[in-house]
Amino acid sequence: MMQFRDLQRQYEVLKPSLDVALQNVMSRAAFVMGPEVAALESRLANRVNVAHCVTCASGTDALRIALMIWEIGEGDAVFVPDFTFFATAEAVLSVGATPILVDVEQETFNINADDLREKVKNVQSQGRLNPRAVIAVDLFGLPADYYRIREVTSDYGLFLLEDGAQGFGGAIDGKPSCSFGDISITSFFPAKPLGCYGDGGALFTDNEVWADLARSIIQHGKGTNKYEHLRVGLNSRLDTIQAAVLGVKLDAFDEELHTSNLVAATYSKQLSSYIAIPVLPHGYASSWAQYTVKLNNQLQRDNLKEHLQSAGIPSMVYYPCPLHQQPALASLEMDECCCPVATMLSQTVLSLPIHPYLRPDEIEQIISAIHGFVKC
Ligand SMILES: *Cc1c(COP(=O)(O)O)cnc(C)c1O
């Protein structure tokens, strides 16, 4: 059976190195903050081309830690796209701040800079909440429009937090994803472009003071010694075992990304005259966390999903519900028309299998199933 993202096949390929790396951790028994963690952080910072990388226990924690560093809390507004994984808004609520949902662009699925500016203006003129930060998401691996988002954050004195949970490996004009925010984060959840064997995440920043704060927060707000606590923090460290896994996966990452790009190019070439394929703006590179097509309406989308299913091809709807319709956000009292594009996308998108270990015969099978669907 074809897998949506085949982590077993990846393990088979990387097994010799992974098994050695894991054995090393177990025989040395430095399970928390072992040497693999610092080694990974310095490699990640290098790759993303920022001064500091601090790893932590998940992407969600990384978002939350960034907001804690900026002392964002009650009475503060944080602007987030309406079309994203729930964690983007959850982190805002978890520190007591209010997420303000912003619509996305139909072509790129990412936060719409014009709507962002409108919504910041509105919050400012209402005067009830204090606008503090924007969380832009690199949805499905494509970096958000950071040139235009920066104009808004600069004009209004807001912090920019890049949610690169899906973005690691992307770039704009050669500048790597996870380097666009004042703080940027990524996730190492197994199915993300760079995934570990459980949960994990990281923060990236050029600001040394913030990096030091992050290091304190992930270890119970520790000071210079382990039993001096300067603030209330979290217990949010990346396990040594996960750092060891990530070290091996990072070795393979560039080649994997190259292969994912070839898969995406094949899809796009073969599907573009049949279906709305993902858009890569000029100068942008995606990490291809997802390859997401658009159908004309919900019925057609659901029918294609079923058609693929019956051909043994898994596909996923990311995301079936925009944030403004989530029960957990009902207290925000967002009206239905706050984000029409996000609403429309939740009804029409479908993500196809994409990963570096997808075989040519599987790609062929997927393409011909879609051709068959469109023709009938
Ligand atoms: C996965 C994801 C997160 C959360 O990452 P975890 O490591 O699972 O906590 C946050 N934002 C986005 C956009 C994600 O896709």
Side-chain angles (χ1 to χ4, degrees):
M1 171 75 185
M2 196 191 297
Q3 299 292 308
F4 187 71
R5 195 166 182 94
D6 201 327
L7 296 173
Q8 282 169 316
R9 238 176 247 170
Q10 185 194 41
Y11 177 60
E12 282 160 28
V13 172
L14 303 180
K15 187 172 170 19
S17 323
L18 280 167
D19 288 355
V20 170
L22 286 167
Q23 282 298 332
N24 279 341
V25 176
M26 289 182 278
S27 56
R28 292 198 209 111
F31 296 114
V32 175
M33 292 306 206
E36 286 84 352
V37 176
L40 176 71
E41 287 174 345
S42 102
R43 287 184 68 193
L44 288 171
N46 262 330
R47 181 183 164 102
V48 169
N49 200 18
V50 298
H52 309 279
C53 169
V54 180
T55 54
C56 65
S58 70
T60 307
D61 274 4
L63 289 169
R64 182 162 177 214
I65 291 162
L67 299 172
M68 289 168 78
I69 289 168
W70 294 332
E71 296 182 355
I72 288 174
E74 214 179 313
D76 292 335
V78 178
F79 299 82
V80 305
D82 190 34
F83 193 58
T84 177
F85 180 57
F86 181 63
T88 313
E90 187 182 29
V92 176
L93 289 162
S94 80
V95 297
T98 303
I100 304 294
L101 305 177
V102 178
D103 210 359
V104 295
E105 294 173 355
Q106 191 170 329
E107 296 291 303
T108 64
F109 311 123
N110 283 329
I111 195 165
N112 180 314
D114 295 324
D115 193 48
L116 173 64
R117 184 177 288 277
E118 275 309 301
K119 289 193 168 138
V120 174
K121 263 192 223 162
N122 282 347
V123 169
Q124 199 176 48
S125 65
Q126 280 166 7
R128 198 172 54 83
L129 295 168
N130 189 16
R132 294 289 309 283
V134 174
I135 309 182
V137 177
D138 303 333
L139 202 72
F140 307 146
L142 183 73
D145 185 353
Y146 288 105
Y147 294 126
R148 297 198 52 225
I149 295 164
R150 257 301 169 203
E151 291 173 4
V152 179
T153 58
S154 302
D155 288 352
Y156 289 90
L158 307 176
F159 289 120
L160 177 55
L161 174 52
E162 176 184 1
D163 179 348
Q166 305 177 13
F168 188 87
I172 305 175
D173 297 330
K175 181 173 161 61
S177 297
C178 302
S179 74
F180 294 106
D182 298 308
I183 298 177
S184 304
I185 71 97
T186 197
S187 163
F188 305 125
F189 181 81
K192 305 282 162 135
L194 179 65
C196 63
Y197 283 171
D199 281 303
L203 297 100
F204 300 87
T205 184
D206 283 324
N207 185 309
E208 189 174 356
V209 173
W210 294 344
D212 288 344
L213 278 169
R215 287 192 195 288
S216 167
I217 291 169
I218 63 165
Q219 301 198 69
H220 306 284
K222 83 174 177 70
T224 44
N225 80 66
K226 196 176 167 187
Y227 295 106
E228 181 195 33
H229 303 278
L230 300 176
R231 56 187 64 82
V232 174
L234 304 168
N235 175 4
S236 183
R237 292 163 297 219
L238 183 73
D239 292 335
T240 309
I241 281 182
Q242 302 304 349
V245 168
L246 288 165
V248 173
K249 291 223 193 171
L250 194 53
D251 290 335
F253 187 79
D254 283 325
E255 205 182 319
E256 289 187 348
L257 185 59
H258 178 71
T259 312
S260 292
N261 270 296
L262 294 179
V263 176
T266 306
Y267 274 155
S268 292
K269 182 155 176 271
Q270 302 290 333
L271 297 177
S272 65
S273 41
Y274 295 83
I275 213 166
I277 57 163
V279 173
L280 267 188
H282 184 72
Y284 280 59
S286 177
S287 66
W288 297 113
Q290 304 296 341
Y291 186 95
T292 303
V293 299
K294 275 181 296 199
L295 284 296
N296 294 327
N297 54 55
Q298 184 158 13
L299 181 66
Q300 197 185 37
R301 190 269 310 275
D302 294 346
N303 285 345
L304 175 57
K305 187 168 192 339
E306 219 165 273
H307 177 82
L308 292 172
Q309 183 74 42
S310 63
I313 298 165
S315 63
M316 302 290 277
V317 175
Y318 295 125
Y319 295 92
C321 179
L323 291 184
H324 76 265
Q325 291 171 8
Q326 289 290 354
L329 299 184
S331 65
L332 296 180
E333 293 178 357
M334 303 290 300
D335 65 64
E336 272 307 300
C337 54
C338 76
C339 300
V341 177
T343 306
M344 187 271 290
L345 289 174
S346 68
Q347 294 163 357
T348 54
V349 289
L350 190 66
S351 299
L352 306 179
I354 187 163
H355 61 83
Y357 301 91
L358 207 55
R359 290 192 310 253
D361 61 296
E362 292 172 324
I363 299 168
E364 195 42 52
Q365 194 189 335
I366 295 163
I367 289 167
S368 59
I370 294 172
H371 288 177
F373 174 79
V374 176
K375 278 175 189 153
C376 71

